[in-house]
Amino acid sequence: MKFKVRGIDTFASTGGRPFDKNKPLIIFVHGSGLSHMVWVLQTRYFAFRGYSVLAVDLPGHGLSSGESLKTIEEMGNWVGDVIGAVGCKEASLVGHSQGCLVTMECVAQHPEKIKTLTLMGGASAIPMNPELLKLAEESNPKAVDLMMDFAHGPAGHFGGHPVPGLYHLNVGSMIVQNKEIKDTLGVDFRACDNYKNGPEVAKKLDLPTLSILGAQDRMCRLKDGKILADYIKGSEVKIIEDCGHMMLLEEADQTLEILKKFIAEHYPLPS
Amino acid sequence: MDPKTYKFDTLSLHAGYQPGKNAGSRQVPIYQTTSYMFDDVDHAAALFNLERGGHIYSRMSNPTVQVLEERVCALEGGTAALATASGMSAIFLTIMTLCNAGDHMVVSSQLYGGTVNLFRLTLPKFGIKTTFVKPRDTEGFKKAIKPNTKGIFGELVGNPGNELMNMPEVSKIAKEAGIPLIIDSTYQTPYLCRPFEHGADLVVHSLTKWMSGNGSSMAGILVEGGTFDWMQNDKFPSMTEPYEGYHGLSFAEEFGPTAFTMMARAEGMRDMGPCLAPQNAWNILHGLETLSLRMEKHCSNALKMVEYLSNHESVAWVSHASAPGHPDKELAEKILPKGTGSMIAFGIKGGKEAGAAFINNVKLASHLANVGDARTLVIHPASATHSQMDEATLKFAGLSHDMIRLSVGLEDFEDIVNDFEDGFRAAKKPRLVANK
């Protein structure tokens, strides 16, 4: 659905159900250069089981208007504004990769609004390879090829998409190339590279938190994901074997099962 | 720093398959089953509602077929693919997903005869009309577009006359009009050309041909490039507006670069059901493993054959994009740098009667209605593959009665030549040489 955040047209997938502000809200936040389309194998499930779902396109991404936000702090604040913009008071957040930094910042800035936090493929810092960052800021498609290479585990490189007929690397690549690379991926990579508050923000988090990590993740390595989880008081950690950074697609079923249990326990539907 | 993603030959052997998830089986298993067990009621509901990936019923998808789909998709550089029972069903499914009654297509006139009949005779029954344009008439594609036109369709190298469509230029015309370009790339395979790199939005193949090369199995496929923005205009409401069949799902919003394939499967396979048998998918996968090796030999044998035929006293003309003086030679060198394929059309002196004698007297070359087999094949199109066309349509499609269509195989070149010499000898005096 389209709605306004700070006066700018914003798109969010509602998982195929009409948005209802009276149902518990789950907001999904995508990673660098991506869009709501990476969440299709999680959002539809919750939308058809009593939740209201928003898989947002960050400003300038996917089907949202405006320019990409330049810092993780701005993005975190923007996600907090989304909650009010759709007439809700609170939400659970699910972030992937850069979306983990964004959702942690959102909790830090709007602690009263956020009930649970799920971090997929996260780390407390995501420093960028200088060459990759330069390629992205120059809109060089090689940046996308490198990102897809790093983002998928060994199994993902062979294929085996959960949805019959889809090919992992090229789907991700086309989602990113839907927009000018420097205006989305380039800005996002720079924002990740500049962000240094991760450890401090993580240490202050005080809400039910789940980290889902890929054992073969080369973007945010398993050890870095574990360090982040260690910073967060009481964080649950689930590791998916033989899976890279794109666990939400590479191992969509396992990811959904883990998320279902966490949400059911910590953010249940009203009885 | 370069990406370490797998390259073409590796993908042709490995893409789409993980042995670790299939009992360690090195070869792709044949999942000869109609249906798949659900974990519970919730799991079943989620699968039916496209909430999660997986298999329900082999009309919609099958694990063996899925490997083929991903492999071809990877080789083409596409985002998604959908395998079908034949190449014709891939085309039909594509058009039925794209168009509604009252819509219009602009189509190259030089096509396989079955495809011509589909657009000329069958699709009008569903209210879908076509304007045919000669493949070299690039401007003609633009002129033929109407407000209700939903796409441009063509074979890059036309069957059987070997005229090339200027795909990069026609792609620009399609983009200006906000409609997709669909290319039947059967003749090329992704080894010779990846149409998405030249502006195509959707690609279809008959996998029965060079992709398998073994002549054992029928199969087709639709591949999506993920390049077309279905939401740029209001021409494609079935893609962009809520679809009643899946609780108001908007395919374009939800699936973006894979929206067309998702809809073709969810609606087309559900309602029309031209599914590919897993055994046939497995046979095609076997062929794909050697695609590069076979295409190299097909092309090198074809080049020698063009030279041999061009210098033969019994041959009136030769059409192949590599042939000296071919009007599309320059375009072919740009789009098809690895080779222009193994389909040759030539005119035999003596016309239809000589052509019949030639075909009846070759023994190594097989006389049959297929192309792209590992074996050399010949046919007289005007009396076989294109025989259901009237005289005017034959002429418009670039066919003549002296035309022989040759699909050059992988045999030793000298053996093919010796066989052809027997055919040409018989063709010189058709009434004096007994037919075999």
Side-chain angles (χ1 to χ4, degrees), chain A residues 26-27 29 79 83 91-95 103 106-107 114 116-119:
Chain A
I26 308 175
I27 297 179
V29 182
V79 172
I83 298 169
S92 273
L93 300 183
V94 183
T103 51
C106 181
V107 178
I114 312 304
T116 73
L117 177 62
T118 300
L119 306 171

Side-chain angles (χ1 to χ4, degrees), chain B residues 49-63:
Chain B
N49 198 31
L50 306 181
E51 293 162 17
R52 55 199 302 172
H55 304 286
I56 298 172
Y57 193 56
S58 284
R59 189 177 79 244
M60 307 287 286
S61 65
N62 168 283

Side-chain angles (χ1 to χ4, degrees), chain B residues 13-177:
Chain B
L13 286 155
H14 294 279
Y17 182 62
Q18 298 178 29
K21 292 187 175 177
N22 290 277
S25 171
R26 181 57 276 179
Q27 189 48 270
V28 177
I30 300 171
Y31 282 87
Q32 191 64 52
T33 181
T34 58
S35 37
Y36 307 85
M37 295 284 287
F38 305 123
D39 296 344
D40 52 32
V41 170
D42 186 64
H43 180 231
L47 284 169
F48 273 97
N49 198 31
L50 306 181
E51 293 162 17
R52 55 199 302 172
H55 304 286
I56 298 172
Y57 193 56
S58 284
R59 189 177 79 244
M60 307 287 286
S61 65
N62 168 283
T64 310
V65 177
Q66 176 180 358
V67 176
L68 175 65
E69 290 169 340
E70 283 199 47
R71 193 160 297 180
V72 175
C73 189
L75 293 173
E76 281 289 8
T79 53
L82 172 55
T84 56
S86 67
M88 284 308 300
S89 56
I91 297 172
F92 185 67
L93 189 68
T94 301
I95 303 303
M96 295 308 283
T97 304
L98 191 66
C99 295
N100 291 315
D103 287 344
H104 171 257
M105 291 289 297
V106 176
V107 175
S108 168
S109 62
Q110 206 170 90
L111 304 168
Y112 160 58
T115 313
V116 173
N117 289 328
L118 171 68
F119 280 103
R120 193 168 69 97
L121 303 173
T122 306
L123 287 173
K125 292 182 188 174
F126 297 89
I128 300 164
K129 293 187 176 171
T130 291
T131 300
F132 288 100
V133 177
K134 291 192 173 183
R136 289 181 181 133
D137 182 11
T138 301
E139 199 57 26
F141 285 97
K142 187 172 187 175
K143 288 179 184 159
I145 292 172
K146 303 175 182 181
N148 62 338
T149 302
K150 294 300 167 70
I152 298 177
F153 179 93
E155 295 176 4
L156 174 57
V157 179
N159 179 348
N162 286 332
E163 292 182 25
L164 264 71
M165 175 197 243
N166 192 330
M167 180 164 49
E169 290 304 314
V170 175
S171 157
K172 288 178 193 165
I173 292 167
K175 279 180 176 51
E176 278 174 24

